Amino acid sequence: MPAKARKAAAEPAPRNDREKSVDEIYERIYVAILEHRLHPGTKLGEERMAEIFGVSRARIREVLARLAHEQIVELFPQRGAYVAKPTTEQARDVFEARRLIEPAVLKRLIETITPDKVNRLRQHTELEADAHRRNDKRAVIRLSGEFHTLVAELAGNSALARSMRELCMLTCLTIFLYDAPTAQSCRNDEHERIVDAVAKKDRARAEKLMLDHLDHIEGSLKLDNSNGDADLEAIFK
């Protein structure tokens, strides 16, 4: 191999390539949790995860650190990383935070609403309705969580959108851990009614529907045991 080629091969990947890889792994884990394929309490072993994704353990540590910063993963010295298991107190805190944040998100969305934003929301609720018709439970769970993050993104406040993404993930873990059946915890017409109110710029109704929606989800939770064992390769392959 020519010296120039050897030098190029030895150079580290460009920073944006590294970030893309980290983002991709992060997103794969995020979606696996959102779809309830990755359970609360599951150990995310660095070596096993590195083998599955074909990257270094250092890169996996970077992903896990990011997830830990967002409280999606818990890191324990000498034990490793585990998918978070919210306590009942933490679950109540999450719903309290959502009751404070989501009305503010709706207020900003309605103030900046456009036909394009309404269309995007309606397209999303159509995907949810289709998933319900097909009885695709994984898609229903994922799309239900993504609806709330989409609302925050369309509101145009990056800090609110970031907070909603984290809160929706913690809600997903809480629902899995304390067992709220999908069909009852997130009825397929609730999001549609919220979108209708937003489209009409009826802030009071939109906020009431959202708060009722959150009350309904939290009210369906019950204390349950969870199993932390999972086949990581089957989840990500």
Side-chain angles (χ1 to χ4, degrees), residues 66-74 84 86 90 166 170 173:
R66 178 176 170 184
L67 290 164
H69 178 71
E70 297 176 3
Q71 302 182 64
I72 298 169
V73 161
E74 296 174 319
Q90 289 172 327
E166 293 177 19
L170 290 170
L173 289 169

Side-chain angles (χ1 to χ4, degrees), residues 18 21-30 44 49 53 55 57-69 73 75:
R18 180 187 65 80
S21 181
V22 167
D23 287 344
E24 182 180 354
I25 297 168
Y26 168 91
E27 202 64 29
R28 292 278 301 279
I29 296 172
Y30 182 91
L44 302 176
M49 296 285 283
F53 289 106
V55 297
R57 292 180 64 177
R59 187 160 299 179
I60 293 297
R61 279 195 294 274
E62 187 174 349
V63 175
L64 295 176
R66 178 176 170 184
L67 290 164
H69 178 71
V73 161
L75 301 177

Side-chain angles (χ1 to χ4, degrees), residues 1-120:
M1 180 185 294
K4 186 176 181 180
R6 286 199 302 271
K7 181 180 178 182
E11 289 178 353
R15 180 172 174 79
N16 58 349
D17 287 349
R18 180 187 65 80
E19 289 175 346
K20 181 179 179 182
S21 181
V22 167
D23 287 344
E24 182 180 354
I25 297 168
Y26 168 91
E27 202 64 29
R28 292 278 301 279
I29 296 172
Y30 182 91
V31 170
I33 294 173
L34 204 59
E35 291 185 343
H36 285 181
R37 290 183 286 119
L38 199 54
H39 304 188
T42 300
K43 183 173 183 178
L44 302 176
E46 285 182 10
E47 186 172 350
R48 189 74 183 112
M49 296 285 283
E51 291 175 0
I52 291 168
F53 289 106
V55 297
S56 67
R57 292 180 64 177
R59 187 160 299 179
I60 293 297
R61 279 195 294 274
E62 187 174 349
V63 175
L64 295 176
R66 178 176 170 184
L67 290 164
H69 178 71
E70 297 176 3
Q71 302 182 64
I72 298 169
V73 161
E74 296 174 319
L75 301 177
F76 298 97
Q78 311 304 321
R79 290 175 53 199
Y82 295 78
V83 178
K85 293 177 68 174
T87 65
T88 54
E89 183 178 358
Q90 289 172 327
R92 286 191 291 269
D93 287 347
V94 165
F95 280 100
E96 181 180 358
R98 291 188 64 169
R99 288 189 186 93
L100 293 172
I101 290 175
E102 297 208 51
V105 169
L106 287 172
K107 175 179 180 293
R108 200 177 197 286
L109 176 60
I110 289 171
E111 288 174 349
T112 61
I113 199 65
T114 64
D116 180 62
K117 290 182 179 182
V118 173
N119 287 337
R120 287 189 60 187

Side-chain angles (χ1 to χ4, degrees), residues 90-213:
Q90 289 172 327
R92 286 191 291 269
D93 287 347
V94 165
F95 280 100
E96 181 180 358
R98 291 188 64 169
R99 288 189 186 93
L100 293 172
I101 290 175
E102 297 208 51
V105 169
L106 287 172
K107 175 179 180 293
R108 200 177 197 286
L109 176 60
I110 289 171
E111 288 174 349
T112 61
I113 199 65
T114 64
D116 180 62
K117 290 182 179 182
V118 173
N119 287 337
R120 287 189 60 187
L121 290 169
R122 293 204 188 283
Q123 287 169 4
H124 191 91
T125 57
E126 287 172 8
L127 291 175
E128 289 186 72
D130 180 64
H132 276 280
R133 283 192 296 269
R134 293 184 288 104
N135 197 30
D136 186 340
K137 293 183 179 179
R138 286 182 178 175
V140 168
I141 294 166
R142 175 176 52 80
L143 290 166
S144 294
E146 289 177 349
F147 171 80
H148 294 269
T149 58
L150 176 62
V151 169
E153 287 167 6
L154 293 178
N157 184 306
S158 60
L160 286 175
R162 195 161 51 246
S163 295
M164 277 308 309
R165 184 177 170 93
E166 293 177 19
L167 288 170
C168 285
M169 177 56 69
L170 290 170
T171 301
C172 181
L173 289 169
T174 298
I175 290 172
F176 194 107
L177 194 58
Y178 300 113
D179 190 23
T182 303
Q184 283 74 41
S185 67
C186 210
R187 291 190 294 248
N188 61 352
D189 64 333
E190 292 183 338
H191 291 169
E192 292 176 7
R193 291 163 63 198
I194 291 169
V195 173
D196 287 341
V198 168
K200 295 175 183 175
K201 299 186 178 181
D202 189 340
R203 177 183 162 192
R205 177 165 173 75
E207 290 182 4
K208 183 181 185 305
L209 288 169
M210 182 64 80
L211 293 174
D212 288 347
H213 179 53

